[in-house]
Amino acid sequence: MTEVQLFNLLSPLVSTKAYPLIAKQGATAPFIVFSSPSSVPDSSICGSTRDSERLFQVDCYHDNHKDLCTLREAALSALAASSLVEAVEGFSTDFEPDTKLFRALISVRCWESAASV
């Protein structure tokens, strides 16, 4: 899965307010931020396959907890239904006092084929 594919999967959940790495300045909740903190190249006995296993972090933000839970479940469902996702590894929720927003962090493991890049 590429960042573009992840954006296309998640952006309809938040009226296209899905952002790579950091939210657009002045973005109002709800929105989603995603990043790829890890990518591990795949290799075989013959060498590198140019494919990789990627870990994505998907952060959902909302201004109230109930709606955050609804957004989180919608994101989890979209991710689980995607053939590009190997596993949804879990989630956690918290509150960010600085922004006064509730956040759900979802960890997702995907394969990225060199043919899809």
Side-chain angles (χ1 to χ4, degrees), residues 10-82:
L10 297 172
S11 66
L13 304 175
V14 285
S15 302
T16 70
K17 292 191 295 182
Y19 307 101
L21 304 177
I22 189 167
K24 182 177 172 182
Q25 188 170 0
T28 57
F31 59 87
I32 294 175
V33 176
F34 57 90
S35 61
S36 180
S38 174
S39 179
V40 179
D42 188 34
S43 60
S44 71
I45 198 164
C46 298
S48 175
T49 65
R50 296 188 52 223
D51 294 339
S52 61
E53 181 181 58
R54 293 187 74 178
L55 180 65
F56 281 102
Q57 177 177 316
V58 176
D59 295 296
C60 302
Y61 291 90
H62 215 298
D63 55 7
N64 71 71
H65 188 259
K66 180 181 176 195
D67 290 337
L68 173 73
C69 293
T70 301
L71 176 57
R72 179 193 67 213
E73 293 306 312
L76 286 167
S77 293
L79 291 163
S82 172

Short mmCIF file of all heavy atoms in Angstrom, two decimals, residues 10-82:
data_model
loop_
_atom_site.label_atom_id
_atom_site.label_comp_id
_atom_site.label_asym_id
_atom_site.label_seq_id
_atom_site.Cartn_x
_atom_site.Cartn_y
_atom_site.Cartn_z
N LEU A 10 -9.00 6.43 3.18
CA LEU A 10 -9.45 7.11 4.40
C LEU A 10 -10.12 8.46 4.17
O LEU A 10 -10.96 8.87 4.97
CB LEU A 10 -8.25 7.30 5.34
CG LEU A 10 -7.59 6.03 5.85
CD1 LEU A 10 -6.31 6.37 6.61
CD2 LEU A 10 -8.54 5.23 6.71
N SER A 11 -9.77 9.17 3.11
CA SER A 11 -10.28 10.53 2.94
C SER A 11 -11.80 10.63 2.85
O SER A 11 -12.36 11.62 3.34
CB SER A 11 -9.61 11.21 1.75
OG SER A 11 -9.96 10.58 0.55
N PRO A 12 -12.52 9.65 2.26
CA PRO A 12 -13.98 9.77 2.25
C PRO A 12 -14.61 9.78 3.65
O PRO A 12 -15.71 10.28 3.83
CB PRO A 12 -14.44 8.54 1.47
CG PRO A 12 -13.27 8.14 0.64
CD PRO A 12 -12.07 8.49 1.47
N LEU A 13 -13.89 9.26 4.64
CA LEU A 13 -14.43 9.21 6.00
C LEU A 13 -14.45 10.58 6.67
O LEU A 13 -15.18 10.79 7.64
CB LEU A 13 -13.61 8.25 6.87
CG LEU A 13 -13.47 6.82 6.36
CD1 LEU A 13 -12.53 6.03 7.27
CD2 LEU A 13 -14.83 6.15 6.27
N VAL A 14 -13.62 11.51 6.16
CA VAL A 14 -13.49 12.83 6.78
C VAL A 14 -13.57 13.96 5.75
O VAL A 14 -12.88 14.98 5.87
CB VAL A 14 -12.17 12.93 7.59
CG1 VAL A 14 -12.26 12.16 8.88
CG2 VAL A 14 -10.98 12.48 6.76
N SER A 15 -14.39 13.79 4.73
CA SER A 15 -14.58 14.81 3.69
C SER A 15 -13.25 15.29 3.12
O SER A 15 -13.00 16.49 3.03
CB SER A 15 -15.37 15.99 4.25
OG SER A 15 -16.61 15.58 4.74
N THR A 16 -12.40 14.36 2.77
CA THR A 16 -11.06 14.56 2.18
C THR A 16 -10.06 15.21 3.14
O THR A 16 -8.98 15.60 2.71
CB THR A 16 -11.08 15.34 0.85
OG1 THR A 16 -11.42 16.70 1.10
CG2 THR A 16 -12.04 14.72 -0.16
N LYS A 17 -10.37 15.31 4.43
CA LYS A 17 -9.42 15.88 5.38
C LYS A 17 -8.53 14.78 5.97
O LYS A 17 -8.50 14.55 7.17
CB LYS A 17 -10.14 16.66 6.48
CG LYS A 17 -10.81 17.92 5.95
CD LYS A 17 -11.30 18.83 7.05
CE LYS A 17 -12.40 18.20 7.85
NZ LYS A 17 -12.95 19.07 8.90
N ALA A 18 -7.80 14.11 5.09
CA ALA A 18 -6.79 13.13 5.49
C ALA A 18 -5.45 13.69 5.03
O ALA A 18 -5.33 14.16 3.89
CB ALA A 18 -7.07 11.78 4.85
N TYR A 19 -4.48 13.66 5.92
CA TYR A 19 -3.21 14.33 5.64
C TYR A 19 -2.03 13.39 5.92
O TYR A 19 -2.02 12.69 6.94
CB TYR A 19 -3.05 15.57 6.53
CG TYR A 19 -4.21 16.52 6.44
CD1 TYR A 19 -5.18 16.55 7.43
CD2 TYR A 19 -4.33 17.39 5.37
CE1 TYR A 19 -6.25 17.43 7.36
CE2 TYR A 19 -5.40 18.29 5.29
CZ TYR A 19 -6.36 18.29 6.29
OH TYR A 19 -7.41 19.16 6.21
N PRO A 20 -1.00 13.43 5.07
CA PRO A 20 0.22 12.69 5.38
C PRO A 20 1.07 13.49 6.38
O PRO A 20 1.21 14.72 6.25
CB PRO A 20 0.93 12.58 4.02
CG PRO A 20 0.40 13.73 3.23
CD PRO A 20 -0.98 14.00 3.74
N LEU A 21 1.55 12.84 7.39
CA LEU A 21 2.49 13.35 8.38
C LEU A 21 1.95 14.38 9.37
O LEU A 21 2.12 14.24 10.57
CB LEU A 21 3.75 13.91 7.71
CG LEU A 21 4.50 12.94 6.81
CD1 LEU A 21 5.68 13.65 6.15
CD2 LEU A 21 4.97 11.73 7.58
N ILE A 22 1.32 15.43 8.89
CA ILE A 22 0.85 16.48 9.80
C ILE A 22 -0.40 17.13 9.19
O ILE A 22 -0.50 17.26 7.97
CB ILE A 22 1.95 17.54 10.04
CG1 ILE A 22 1.56 18.51 11.13
CG2 ILE A 22 2.33 18.24 8.76
CD1 ILE A 22 2.72 19.36 11.63
N ALA A 23 -1.33 17.51 10.06
CA ALA A 23 -2.56 18.13 9.57
C ALA A 23 -2.27 19.51 9.01
O ALA A 23 -1.35 20.20 9.44
CB ALA A 23 -3.58 18.23 10.70
N LYS A 24 -3.07 19.88 8.04
CA LYS A 24 -2.98 21.21 7.44
C LYS A 24 -3.25 22.25 8.53
O LYS A 24 -4.14 22.06 9.37
CB LYS A 24 -4.03 21.31 6.33
CG LYS A 24 -4.04 22.60 5.58
CD LYS A 24 -5.08 22.53 4.48
CE LYS A 24 -5.27 23.86 3.81
NZ LYS A 24 -6.31 23.79 2.79
N GLN A 25 -2.48 23.32 8.54
CA GLN A 25 -2.67 24.36 9.55
C GLN A 25 -4.10 24.89 9.48
O GLN A 25 -4.61 25.20 8.41
CB GLN A 25 -1.68 25.49 9.34
CG GLN A 25 -1.71 26.49 10.47
CD GLN A 25 -0.57 27.49 10.38
OE1 GLN A 25 0.25 27.43 9.47
NE2 GLN A 25 -0.53 28.41 11.33
N GLY A 26 -4.74 24.95 10.62
CA GLY A 26 -6.11 25.44 10.71
C GLY A 26 -7.16 24.38 10.43
O GLY A 26 -8.35 24.69 10.42
N ALA A 27 -6.74 23.13 10.20
CA ALA A 27 -7.71 22.05 9.95
C ALA A 27 -8.61 21.89 11.16
O ALA A 27 -8.16 21.91 12.30
CB ALA A 27 -6.99 20.74 9.66
N THR A 28 -9.90 21.76 10.90
CA THR A 28 -10.85 21.54 11.98
C THR A 28 -11.24 20.07 12.02
O THR A 28 -11.28 19.39 11.00
CB THR A 28 -12.11 22.41 11.78
OG1 THR A 28 -12.68 22.10 10.50
CG2 THR A 28 -11.77 23.89 11.84
N ALA A 29 -11.50 19.60 13.22
CA ALA A 29 -11.89 18.20 13.41
C ALA A 29 -13.28 17.98 12.83
O ALA A 29 -14.09 18.90 12.83
CB ALA A 29 -11.86 17.86 14.89
N PRO A 30 -13.53 16.80 12.32
CA PRO A 30 -12.68 15.61 12.32
C PRO A 30 -11.68 15.63 11.16
O PRO A 30 -11.95 16.19 10.10
CB PRO A 30 -13.67 14.47 12.15
CG PRO A 30 -14.76 15.06 11.33
CD PRO A 30 -14.86 16.51 11.77
N PHE A 31 -10.53 15.00 11.41
CA PHE A 31 -9.55 14.78 10.35
C PHE A 31 -8.70 13.57 10.72
O PHE A 31 -8.74 13.08 11.84
CB PHE A 31 -8.69 16.02 10.08
CG PHE A 31 -7.91 16.53 11.26
CD1 PHE A 31 -6.65 16.03 11.55
CD2 PHE A 31 -8.43 17.54 12.07
CE1 PHE A 31 -5.92 16.50 12.62
CE2 PHE A 31 -7.71 18.03 13.15
CZ PHE A 31 -6.45 17.51 13.42
N ILE A 32 -7.95 13.09 9.72
CA ILE A 32 -7.07 11.93 9.89
C ILE A 32 -5.68 12.31 9.42
O ILE A 32 -5.52 12.97 8.39
CB ILE A 32 -7.59 10.72 9.08
CG1 ILE A 32 -8.92 10.23 9.65
CG2 ILE A 32 -6.56 9.59 9.06
CD1 ILE A 32 -9.58 9.11 8.84
N VAL A 33 -4.68 11.89 10.20
CA VAL A 33 -3.27 12.06 9.83
C VAL A 33 -2.66 10.67 9.76
O VAL A 33 -2.91 9.83 10.63
CB VAL A 33 -2.52 12.92 10.86
CG1 VAL A 33 -1.04 13.02 10.52
CG2 VAL A 33 -3.14 14.31 10.96
N PHE A 34 -1.87 10.42 8.73
CA PHE A 34 -1.24 9.10 8.62
C PHE A 34 0.24 9.24 8.30
O PHE A 34 0.68 10.23 7.71
CB PHE A 34 -1.94 8.23 7.55
CG PHE A 34 -1.98 8.84 6.18
CD1 PHE A 34 -0.95 8.59 5.28
CD2 PHE A 34 -3.03 9.65 5.79
CE1 PHE A 34 -0.99 9.14 4.00
CE2 PHE A 34 -3.08 10.21 4.53
CZ PHE A 34 -2.04 9.95 3.63
N SER A 35 1.01 8.26 8.75
CA SER A 35 2.45 8.24 8.49
C SER A 35 2.93 6.80 8.42
O SER A 35 2.22 5.88 8.81
CB SER A 35 3.20 8.99 9.60
OG SER A 35 2.97 8.37 10.85
N SER A 36 4.13 6.65 7.91
CA SER A 36 4.73 5.32 7.80
C SER A 36 6.04 5.31 8.59
O SER A 36 7.09 5.65 8.05
CB SER A 36 4.99 4.97 6.34
OG SER A 36 5.58 3.69 6.24
N PRO A 37 5.97 4.95 9.87
CA PRO A 37 7.18 4.98 10.70
C PRO A 37 8.16 3.84 10.42
O PRO A 37 9.29 3.88 10.89
CB PRO A 37 6.63 4.88 12.12
CG PRO A 37 5.33 4.19 11.98
CD PRO A 37 4.79 4.59 10.64
N SER A 38 7.74 2.84 9.64
CA SER A 38 8.62 1.70 9.41
C SER A 38 8.34 1.04 8.07
O SER A 38 7.19 0.88 7.67
CB SER A 38 8.42 0.67 10.53
OG SER A 38 9.14 -0.50 10.27
N SER A 39 9.41 0.67 7.39
CA SER A 39 9.31 -0.09 6.15
C SER A 39 10.47 -1.09 6.14
O SER A 39 11.63 -0.69 6.27
CB SER A 39 9.42 0.84 4.94
OG SER A 39 9.35 0.11 3.75
N VAL A 40 10.15 -2.37 6.01
CA VAL A 40 11.16 -3.42 6.04
C VAL A 40 11.18 -4.11 4.68
O VAL A 40 10.19 -4.71 4.28
CB VAL A 40 10.87 -4.44 7.15
CG1 VAL A 40 11.92 -5.54 7.16
CG2 VAL A 40 10.78 -3.76 8.51
N PRO A 41 12.31 -4.02 3.97
CA PRO A 41 12.40 -4.68 2.66
C PRO A 41 12.28 -6.20 2.79
O PRO A 41 12.78 -6.79 3.75
CB PRO A 41 13.79 -4.31 2.15
CG PRO A 41 14.29 -3.24 3.04
CD PRO A 41 13.53 -3.32 4.32
N ASP A 42 11.62 -6.80 1.84
CA ASP A 42 11.49 -8.25 1.80
C ASP A 42 12.65 -8.81 1.00
O ASP A 42 13.11 -8.21 0.04
CB ASP A 42 10.16 -8.63 1.13
CG ASP A 42 9.86 -10.11 1.23
OD1 ASP A 42 10.22 -10.72 2.24
OD2 ASP A 42 9.28 -10.65 0.27
N SER A 43 13.13 -9.95 1.40
CA SER A 43 14.21 -10.58 0.65
C SER A 43 13.95 -12.08 0.57
O SER A 43 13.22 -12.65 1.36
CB SER A 43 15.57 -10.30 1.28
OG SER A 43 15.60 -10.78 2.60
N SER A 44 14.56 -12.68 -0.41
CA SER A 44 14.45 -14.11 -0.60
C SER A 44 15.85 -14.69 -0.69
O SER A 44 16.85 -13.97 -0.60
CB SER A 44 13.66 -14.44 -1.88
OG SER A 44 14.44 -14.11 -3.01
N ILE A 45 15.94 -15.96 -0.90
CA ILE A 45 17.23 -16.62 -1.03
C ILE A 45 18.02 -16.07 -2.22
O ILE A 45 19.24 -16.12 -2.27
CB ILE A 45 17.05 -18.15 -1.13
CG1 ILE A 45 18.36 -18.84 -0.81
CG2 ILE A 45 16.51 -18.56 -2.47
CD1 ILE A 45 18.21 -20.31 -0.50
N CYS A 46 17.31 -15.49 -3.17
CA CYS A 46 17.94 -14.92 -4.37
C CYS A 46 18.27 -13.43 -4.21
O CYS A 46 18.78 -12.81 -5.12
CB CYS A 46 17.04 -15.11 -5.58
SG CYS A 46 16.76 -16.84 -5.97
N GLY A 47 17.92 -12.85 -3.08
CA GLY A 47 18.20 -11.43 -2.85
C GLY A 47 16.93 -10.64 -2.62
O GLY A 47 15.87 -11.19 -2.32
N SER A 48 17.03 -9.34 -2.79
CA SER A 48 15.91 -8.45 -2.53
C SER A 48 14.80 -8.65 -3.56
O SER A 48 15.05 -8.83 -4.75
CB SER A 48 16.38 -7.00 -2.60
OG SER A 48 15.28 -6.12 -2.48
N THR A 49 13.55 -8.61 -3.08
CA THR A 49 12.41 -8.73 -3.98
C THR A 49 11.88 -7.36 -4.39
O THR A 49 11.00 -7.26 -5.22
CB THR A 49 11.25 -9.50 -3.30
OG1 THR A 49 10.79 -8.72 -2.19
CG2 THR A 49 11.69 -10.87 -2.85
N ARG A 50 12.40 -6.30 -3.77
CA ARG A 50 11.95 -4.92 -3.95
C ARG A 50 10.56 -4.68 -3.37
O ARG A 50 10.02 -3.60 -3.49
CB ARG A 50 12.01 -4.49 -5.43
CG ARG A 50 13.44 -4.47 -5.96
CD ARG A 50 13.55 -3.86 -7.35
NE ARG A 50 12.91 -2.56 -7.42
CZ ARG A 50 12.13 -2.18 -8.44
NH1 ARG A 50 11.91 -2.98 -9.46
NH2 ARG A 50 11.57 -0.99 -8.44
N ASP A 51 9.96 -5.69 -2.76
CA ASP A 51 8.71 -5.51 -2.03
C ASP A 51 9.08 -5.16 -0.59
O ASP A 51 10.20 -5.39 -0.15
CB ASP A 51 7.86 -6.78 -2.05
CG ASP A 51 7.37 -7.14 -3.44
OD1 ASP A 51 7.33 -6.25 -4.30
OD2 ASP A 51 7.05 -8.31 -3.66
N SER A 52 8.13 -4.61 0.15
CA SER A 52 8.42 -4.30 1.54
C SER A 52 7.16 -4.41 2.39
O SER A 52 6.05 -4.26 1.91
CB SER A 52 9.03 -2.90 1.68
OG SER A 52 8.14 -1.92 1.21
N GLU A 53 7.40 -4.68 3.66
CA GLU A 53 6.33 -4.68 4.63
C GLU A 53 6.35 -3.30 5.29
O GLU A 53 7.39 -2.87 5.80
CB GLU A 53 6.54 -5.77 5.67
CG GLU A 53 5.44 -5.82 6.69
CD GLU A 53 5.67 -6.90 7.73
OE1 GLU A 53 6.72 -6.85 8.40
OE2 GLU A 53 4.81 -7.77 7.86
N ARG A 54 5.23 -2.61 5.27
CA ARG A 54 5.16 -1.26 5.82
C ARG A 54 4.22 -1.21 7.00
O ARG A 54 3.18 -1.85 7.00
CB ARG A 54 4.68 -0.27 4.76
CG ARG A 54 5.67 -0.11 3.63
CD ARG A 54 5.28 0.96 2.69
NE ARG A 54 5.52 2.28 3.31
CZ ARG A 54 5.30 3.41 2.66
NH1 ARG A 54 4.81 3.40 1.43
NH2 ARG A 54 5.53 4.56 3.24
N LEU A 55 4.64 -0.45 7.97
CA LEU A 55 3.78 -0.17 9.11
C LEU A 55 3.27 1.26 8.94
O LEU A 55 4.06 2.18 8.70
CB LEU A 55 4.56 -0.29 10.42
CG LEU A 55 3.77 -0.02 11.69
CD1 LEU A 55 2.67 -1.06 11.88
CD2 LEU A 55 4.69 -0.02 12.90
N PHE A 56 1.96 1.42 9.00
CA PHE A 56 1.36 2.74 8.95
C PHE A 56 0.74 3.07 10.30
O PHE A 56 0.20 2.18 10.97
CB PHE A 56 0.25 2.83 7.88
CG PHE A 56 0.77 2.99 6.49
CD1 PHE A 56 0.82 1.92 5.62
CD2 PHE A 56 1.19 4.23 6.03
CE1 PHE A 56 1.29 2.07 4.33
CE2 PHE A 56 1.66 4.39 4.74
CZ PHE A 56 1.70 3.31 3.88
N GLN A 57 0.83 4.32 10.66
CA GLN A 57 0.13 4.82 11.84
C GLN A 57 -0.96 5.75 11.34
O GLN A 57 -0.69 6.68 10.58
CB GLN A 57 1.08 5.56 12.76
CG GLN A 57 0.39 6.17 13.97
CD GLN A 57 1.39 6.83 14.89
OE1 GLN A 57 2.44 6.28 15.17
NE2 GLN A 57 1.06 8.03 15.36
N VAL A 58 -2.19 5.48 11.73
CA VAL A 58 -3.33 6.29 11.32
C VAL A 58 -3.89 6.94 12.58
O VAL A 58 -4.29 6.24 13.52
CB VAL A 58 -4.41 5.41 10.64
CG1 VAL A 58 -5.65 6.24 10.31
CG2 VAL A 58 -3.85 4.74 9.39
N ASP A 59 -3.88 8.26 12.62
CA ASP A 59 -4.39 9.00 13.77
C ASP A 59 -5.68 9.70 13.38
O ASP A 59 -5.69 10.55 12.49
CB ASP A 59 -3.38 10.05 14.24
CG ASP A 59 -2.11 9.43 14.77
OD1 ASP A 59 -2.19 8.74 15.78
OD2 ASP A 59 -1.04 9.63 14.16
N CYS A 60 -6.77 9.34 14.06
CA CYS A 60 -8.07 9.97 13.84
C CYS A 60 -8.28 11.01 14.94
O CYS A 60 -8.03 10.73 16.11
CB CYS A 60 -9.19 8.93 13.92
SG CYS A 60 -9.05 7.57 12.76
N TYR A 61 -8.74 12.19 14.57
CA TYR A 61 -8.97 13.27 15.54
C TYR A 61 -10.41 13.73 15.48
O TYR A 61 -10.99 13.85 14.40
CB TYR A 61 -8.06 14.47 15.22
CG TYR A 61 -6.60 14.21 15.47
CD1 TYR A 61 -5.79 13.69 14.46
CD2 TYR A 61 -6.03 14.49 16.71
CE1 TYR A 61 -4.44 13.46 14.69
CE2 TYR A 61 -4.68 14.27 16.93
CZ TYR A 61 -3.90 13.75 15.92
OH TYR A 61 -2.57 13.51 16.14
N HIS A 62 -10.96 14.00 16.66
CA HIS A 62 -12.32 14.57 16.73
C HIS A 62 -12.43 15.40 18.00
O HIS A 62 -11.66 15.20 18.94
CB HIS A 62 -13.38 13.45 16.74
CG HIS A 62 -14.62 13.85 16.01
ND1 HIS A 62 -15.41 14.91 16.40
CD2 HIS A 62 -15.20 13.35 14.90
CE1 HIS A 62 -16.43 15.03 15.57
NE2 HIS A 62 -16.32 14.11 14.64
N ASP A 63 -13.41 16.30 18.02
CA ASP A 63 -13.55 17.17 19.19
C ASP A 63 -14.41 16.59 20.30
O ASP A 63 -14.55 17.21 21.36
CB ASP A 63 -14.05 18.56 18.78
CG ASP A 63 -15.35 18.51 17.99
OD1 ASP A 63 -15.95 17.43 17.86
OD2 ASP A 63 -15.76 19.58 17.50
N ASN A 64 -15.01 15.42 20.07
CA ASN A 64 -15.71 14.76 21.19
C ASN A 64 -15.49 13.24 21.09
O ASN A 64 -15.26 12.70 20.01
CB ASN A 64 -17.19 15.14 21.25
CG ASN A 64 -18.01 14.54 20.14
OD1 ASN A 64 -18.24 13.34 20.12
ND2 ASN A 64 -18.44 15.38 19.20
N HIS A 65 -15.53 12.62 22.24
CA HIS A 65 -15.16 11.20 22.33
C HIS A 65 -16.13 10.29 21.58
O HIS A 65 -15.71 9.35 20.90
CB HIS A 65 -15.06 10.78 23.80
CG HIS A 65 -14.51 9.42 23.96
ND1 HIS A 65 -15.32 8.32 24.22
CD2 HIS A 65 -13.24 8.94 23.86
CE1 HIS A 65 -14.57 7.24 24.28
NE2 HIS A 65 -13.30 7.58 24.08
N LYS A 66 -17.41 10.55 21.69
CA LYS A 66 -18.39 9.69 21.02
C LYS A 66 -18.18 9.67 19.50
O LYS A 66 -18.15 8.61 18.89
CB LYS A 66 -19.81 10.16 21.35
CG LYS A 66 -20.89 9.32 20.71
CD LYS A 66 -22.27 9.84 21.03
CE LYS A 66 -23.29 9.03 20.27
NZ LYS A 66 -24.59 9.65 20.24
N ASP A 67 -18.03 10.85 18.91
CA ASP A 67 -17.82 10.91 17.47
C ASP A 67 -16.45 10.37 17.06
O ASP A 67 -16.29 9.82 15.98
CB ASP A 67 -18.00 12.35 16.96
CG ASP A 67 -19.46 12.79 17.03
OD1 ASP A 67 -20.36 11.92 17.04
OD2 ASP A 67 -19.70 14.01 17.09
N LEU A 68 -15.46 10.50 17.96
CA LEU A 68 -14.16 9.89 17.68
C LEU A 68 -14.31 8.38 17.58
O LEU A 68 -13.75 7.75 16.68
CB LEU A 68 -13.13 10.23 18.77
CG LEU A 68 -11.82 9.47 18.61
CD1 LEU A 68 -11.03 10.00 17.43
CD2 LEU A 68 -11.02 9.48 19.88
N CYS A 69 -15.06 7.79 18.51
CA CYS A 69 -15.26 6.33 18.48
C CYS A 69 -15.94 5.89 17.18
O CYS A 69 -15.58 4.86 16.60
CB CYS A 69 -16.05 5.88 19.70
SG CYS A 69 -15.15 6.09 21.25
N THR A 70 -16.90 6.68 16.71
CA THR A 70 -17.57 6.37 15.45
C THR A 70 -16.58 6.46 14.28
O THR A 70 -16.56 5.58 13.41
CB THR A 70 -18.75 7.34 15.23
OG1 THR A 70 -19.67 7.20 16.32
CG2 THR A 70 -19.48 7.05 13.93
N LEU A 71 -15.77 7.51 14.25
CA LEU A 71 -14.76 7.67 13.20
C LEU A 71 -13.73 6.54 13.27
O LEU A 71 -13.35 5.97 12.25
CB LEU A 71 -14.07 9.03 13.32
CG LEU A 71 -12.93 9.31 12.34
CD1 LEU A 71 -13.40 9.18 10.88
CD2 LEU A 71 -12.34 10.69 12.61
N ARG A 72 -13.28 6.21 14.46
CA ARG A 72 -12.31 5.12 14.64
C ARG A 72 -12.86 3.81 14.09
O ARG A 72 -12.18 3.10 13.36
CB ARG A 72 -11.96 4.96 16.12
CG ARG A 72 -10.97 3.83 16.39
CD ARG A 72 -10.89 3.48 17.85
NE ARG A 72 -12.17 2.91 18.29
CZ ARG A 72 -12.68 3.06 19.51
NH1 ARG A 72 -12.07 3.79 20.42
NH2 ARG A 72 -13.83 2.49 19.80
N GLU A 73 -14.10 3.49 14.40
CA GLU A 73 -14.71 2.24 13.91
C GLU A 73 -14.85 2.25 12.40
O GLU A 73 -14.66 1.23 11.74
CB GLU A 73 -16.04 1.98 14.61
CG GLU A 73 -15.91 1.68 16.09
CD GLU A 73 -14.95 0.54 16.39
OE1 GLU A 73 -15.05 -0.53 15.75
OE2 GLU A 73 -14.07 0.72 17.26
N ALA A 74 -15.19 3.41 11.83
CA ALA A 74 -15.28 3.51 10.36
C ALA A 74 -13.91 3.31 9.72
O ALA A 74 -13.78 2.62 8.71
CB ALA A 74 -15.87 4.87 9.96
N ALA A 75 -12.87 3.88 10.32
CA ALA A 75 -11.51 3.71 9.80
C ALA A 75 -11.07 2.26 9.94
O ALA A 75 -10.50 1.68 9.01
CB ALA A 75 -10.54 4.64 10.53
N LEU A 76 -11.34 1.64 11.09
CA LEU A 76 -10.99 0.23 11.28
C LEU A 76 -11.69 -0.65 10.26
O LEU A 76 -11.07 -1.57 9.69
CB LEU A 76 -11.34 -0.22 12.70
CG LEU A 76 -10.42 0.28 13.82
CD1 LEU A 76 -11.07 0.04 15.18
CD2 LEU A 76 -9.07 -0.38 13.73
N SER A 77 -12.95 -0.39 9.99
CA SER A 77 -13.71 -1.18 9.01
C SER A 77 -13.14 -1.00 7.60
O SER A 77 -12.98 -1.97 6.86
CB SER A 77 -15.19 -0.78 9.02
OG SER A 77 -15.78 -1.14 10.24
N ALA A 78 -12.84 0.23 7.23
CA ALA A 78 -12.28 0.49 5.90
C ALA A 78 -10.93 -0.19 5.74
O ALA A 78 -10.65 -0.80 4.70
CB ALA A 78 -12.15 2.00 5.67
N LEU A 79 -10.10 -0.12 6.75
CA LEU A 79 -8.78 -0.75 6.69
C LEU A 79 -8.90 -2.27 6.64
O LEU A 79 -8.23 -2.93 5.84
CB LEU A 79 -7.94 -0.32 7.90
CG LEU A 79 -7.51 1.15 7.90
CD1 LEU A 79 -7.06 1.57 9.29
CD2 LEU A 79 -6.44 1.39 6.86
N ALA A 80 -9.76 -2.84 7.48
CA ALA A 80 -9.91 -4.30 7.52
C ALA A 80 -10.48 -4.84 6.21
O ALA A 80 -10.17 -5.97 5.82
CB ALA A 80 -10.79 -4.70 8.70
N ALA A 81 -11.30 -4.04 5.52
CA ALA A 81 -11.92 -4.50 4.28
C ALA A 81 -10.98 -4.38 3.08
O ALA A 81 -11.26 -4.95 2.03
CB ALA A 81 -13.19 -3.70 4.01
N SER A 82 -9.89 -3.66 3.23
CA SER A 82 -8.98 -3.45 2.10
C SER A 82 -8.11 -4.68 1.87
O SER A 82 -7.51 -5.22 2.80
CB SER A 82 -8.07 -2.25 2.37
OG SER A 82 -7.08 -2.17 1.36
#
